[in-house]
Amino acid sequence: MMYRMDFEMINSSINGEMDYSDLKAKLLQNKGKPAIINVTIGTTFKGAVDNLDVILQTLEDCGYTHDQFYIHCDAALNGLIIPFINKMISFKKPIGSVTISGHKFLGCPMPCGIQITRKSYINNLSRRVEYIASVDATISGSRNGLAPIFLWYSLSAKGQIGLQKDAKRCLDNANYLKDRLQQAGISVMLNELSIIVVLERPRDHEFVRRWQLSCVRDMAHVIVMPGIIRETLDSFIIDLLQQRKKWYQDGRISPPCVANDIGAQNCTCSYHKIDFIIP
């Protein structure tokens, strides 16, 4: 929109992941035009991860050569999680750039981030500035000098092993929360490779405010970050179960149906109810 370029919005599947059949259809509709594709490595609300390999294969199937497309990977939150699970993001593949936030998973105290790209692209934008005795590769001609110090400190303090432990703990805790909610008969979904647990929206605004939940339509989500411990998750679950008894005790109001948002297999409304076995 900023560059007034034509763009195509690709449909997504119910879990938030890119619809690859729609991607293929729209690539073929625009055959002859180069494609800039934004691959989301963890969507904002559902934490869905687009499959980079499927996208690359789709481009090949549609006749696109490497010089006819550019792929940017938006890994704002998951960029420090995914690499410890698989090698999905790699510059050995024909991608152009990756962005990772510093204030999310890493926990820097100010909004900041890193863009990693190929040197050839940087060289096209860079210019030597005599005044600063350095090379400037920024769009604005300036950048925050304090943010890199926070990024360096956070990365140095944790190290690769520390980040790996954080990633594993968050993934384990997200699965723990999902399993506990599922066992309690609450509609819930957790995407693979994600630390974002999506559940039915609580009815009480005060409950939402107290636990600082983000809500969209009949959904809420919990992002299980490194600072979240099992005790906090247990307190959330206990509070939610107690409040649900009050909200739905007389039977006049039922939990929302979220089948259209997270899939019928994850919905436990009266219509889609599944009998969960609690061990």
Side-chain angles (χ1 to χ4, degrees):
M1 292 172 67
M2 290 175 64
Y3 286 100
R4 301 178 184 177
M5 297 167 68
D6 293 334
F7 72 94
E8 294 279 3
M9 186 75 73
I10 308 300
N11 294 334
S12 60
S13 58
I14 202 161
N15 74 328
E17 187 175 347
M18 185 184 291
D19 182 338
Y20 307 111
S21 61
D22 187 51
L23 171 66
K24 184 174 185 177
K26 285 171 178 169
L27 284 171
L28 292 174
Q29 286 173 15
N30 292 276
K31 196 69 183 293
K33 297 180 182 178
I36 301 173
I37 300 177
N38 186 74
V39 177
T40 308
I41 312 298
T43 56
T44 305
F45 199 84
K46 296 182 179 179
V49 177
D50 294 337
N51 191 315
L52 177 58
D53 293 330
V54 172
I55 292 168
L56 289 170
Q57 185 61 53
T58 302
L59 284 161
E60 184 179 326
D61 293 344
C62 292
Y64 280 76
T65 56
H66 289 185
D67 62 341
Q68 293 178 315
F69 66 82
Y70 180 97
I71 288 180
H72 170 70
C73 297
D74 178 357
L77 175 62
N78 276 14
L80 290 172
I81 299 174
I82 297 289
F84 297 113
I85 306 170
N86 63 39
K87 305 300 181 185
M88 175 191 300
I89 308 172
S90 171
F91 279 92
K92 292 179 180 179
K93 301 175 183 180
I95 64 173
S97 53
V98 179
T99 47
I100 304 169
S101 293
H103 59 284
K104 294 184 178 179
F105 193 78
L106 197 56
C108 289
M110 64 175 70
C112 58
I114 300 171
Q115 173 160 322
I116 305 170
T117 187
R118 298 182 184 276
K119 285 185 177 180
S120 58
Y121 300 147
I122 289 293
N123 292 337
N124 289 336
L125 295 171
S126 300
R127 62 190 185 280
R128 178 162 288 282
V129 181
E130 184 178 6
Y131 170 69
I132 60 173
S134 183
V135 174
D136 176 41
T138 67
I139 294 174
S140 63
S142 181
R143 65 176 177 84
N144 184 338
L146 184 60
I149 295 175
F150 280 115
L151 287 164
W152 168 83
Y153 176 79
S154 298
L155 289 169
S156 299
K158 287 183 178 291
Q160 183 172 331
I161 294 175
L163 289 169
Q164 187 172 11
K165 287 180 178 178
D166 280 353
K168 184 180 185 306
R169 185 170 62 254
C170 290
L171 288 164
D172 289 345
N173 284 341
N175 276 286
Y176 171 79
L177 176 59
K178 186 263 294 183
D179 290 343
R180 287 287 307 275
L181 293 174
Q182 197 174 62
Q183 289 164 6
I186 297 173
S187 299
V188 62
M189 179 188 76
L190 174 63
N191 272 306
E192 188 180 1
L193 309 176
S194 176
I195 61 171
I196 299 178
V197 179
V198 184
L199 65 150
E200 63 188 49
R201 183 174 186 160
R203 284 193 56 80
D204 182 26
H205 176 72
E206 177 57 31
F207 181 91
V208 170
R209 188 197 64 78
R210 181 164 68 251
W211 289 99
Q212 299 182 40
L213 301 178
S214 251
C215 298
V216 172
R217 296 189 296 276
D218 286 326
M219 298 177 290
H221 75 190
V222 175
I223 306 178
V224 187
M225 297 294 276
I228 303 299
I229 58 177
R230 288 280 173 100
E231 287 77 6
T232 305
L233 296 176
D234 288 337
S235 297
F236 171 75
I237 294 164
I238 291 169
D239 192 14
L240 178 60
L241 293 179
Q242 289 174 345
Q243 295 301 317
R244 284 179 98 251
K245 288 180 181 178
K246 298 177 183 177
W247 301 334
Y248 307 124
Q249 63 181 351
D250 57 13
R252 289 184 300 174
I253 301 174
S254 299
C257 175
V258 288
N260 290 335
D261 291 312
I262 64 174
Q265 73 278 15
N266 297 311
C267 180
T268 61
C269 71
S270 56
Y271 182 75
H272 298 99
K273 190 170 181 61
I274 299 174
D275 292 325
F276 292 102
I277 300 173
I278 302 177

